[in-house]
Amino acid sequence: MFRYAKEEDADQILPILFQIFDEMELDVFKEVGDEKMGQVIKEGFLQPGYRYGLDNILVNEIDGKVVAIMVGYPEALEDNIDAPLIKIMHKYGIKEKNLFGDKEAWPGEWYLDSFAVAPAYQGKGIGTKTLEHFIGVIRDRGEKILSLNVDVTNEPAKHVYDKAGFKKVGQLYIGSHLYDHMQYDLTK
């Protein structure tokens, strides 16, 4: 079942999301530790307008378990999307001015910020089905271009995105990692 995330999903969403954070090798996670950052991110789930706020997270639930998450927002919101989290980080004594300092989306795009499948459900076609459903949801909203970034070394993910119809349109760095910027034309 595809639906928006709820507060009671937080403990299931967090480890799925942390798969992405681990791959990104963000300095703040190394300095502060995963446990404290987990508390910060979990508190952020409840903040409207935040990148990882529940209002931006769609989940795929099977038999009462969150098996995949998709986080996204329009590019026009990107400049201020982490403001709620910065306040929470400062409350926890974390002095960072931002979690993600790099621009990730291009003008006019609806940006798929994060997409991950729980490890126990990977390799079973759930990611492909989740992505296909998500594309339909965003198309139904009237959006024109859906975009995402995928680490250039993540061949399995690139295969899924290629198969779904995403096209590489450029590259960019997020932190110290190089990513392919991919777009999906929702008007077709």
Side-chain angles (χ1 to χ4, degrees):
M1 170 174 70
F2 298 96
R3 61 173 174 77
Y4 277 95
K6 299 182 273 192
E7 187 175 347
E8 55 267 25
D9 298 326
D11 288 334
Q12 293 182 68
I13 293 170
L14 205 56
I16 298 171
L17 188 57
F18 262 71
Q19 293 175 107
I20 297 167
F21 296 151
D22 290 346
E23 289 174 9
M24 293 182 77
E25 301 175 313
L26 298 168
D27 289 337
V28 68
F29 284 78
K30 294 175 194 170
E31 295 164 12
V32 175
D34 285 354
E35 186 175 332
K36 189 178 221 181
M37 284 307 298
Q39 293 171 329
V40 169
I41 299 292
K42 193 172 176 181
E43 193 170 321
F45 286 159
L46 304 177
Q47 302 301 311
Y50 166 52
R51 177 187 309 249
Y52 299 114
L54 295 174
D55 53 338
N56 288 334
I57 303 174
L58 289 170
V59 300
N60 184 351
E61 177 188 319
I62 298 175
D63 296 328
K65 293 183 182 174
V66 173
V67 299
I69 62 166
M70 305 198 90
V71 179
Y73 48 85
E75 174 277 333
L77 301 179
E78 186 176 12
D79 289 343
N80 296 309
I81 200 102
D82 290 325
L85 185 71
I86 302 310
K87 290 178 184 175
I88 296 168
M89 288 171 61
H90 291 173
K91 180 177 107 175
Y92 280 84
I94 302 166
K95 302 296 182 206
E96 301 290 324
K97 291 188 168 102
N98 59 43
L99 191 56
F100 306 101
D102 301 301
K103 184 79 172 156
E104 297 179 35
W106 294 0
E109 295 177 337
W110 203 97
Y111 180 58
L112 176 55
D113 178 277
S114 302
F115 171 42
V117 176
Y121 294 88
Q122 292 175 1
K124 299 178 182 192
I126 289 171
T128 300
K129 286 181 180 146
T130 302
L131 184 58
E132 288 169 354
H133 180 80
F134 186 76
I135 289 168
V137 167
I138 302 308
R139 179 183 280 125
D140 290 347
R141 290 182 181 177
E143 299 294 337
K144 307 290 184 233
I145 299 290
L146 174 61
S147 72
L148 57 84
N149 294 307
V150 58
D151 193 303
V152 296
T153 64
N154 190 341
E155 291 302 326
K158 287 199 298 188
H159 175 73
V160 169
Y161 300 138
D162 286 336
K163 187 175 163 186
F166 282 84
K167 304 290 182 214
K168 178 181 169 184
V169 294
Q171 289 186 317
L172 58 103
Y173 278 92
I174 302 173
S176 62
H177 288 247
L178 181 62
Y179 289 80
D180 286 338
H181 189 76
M182 302 182 81
Q183 293 180 336
Y184 186 97
D185 184 349
L186 295 164
T187 63
K188 294 181 178 181

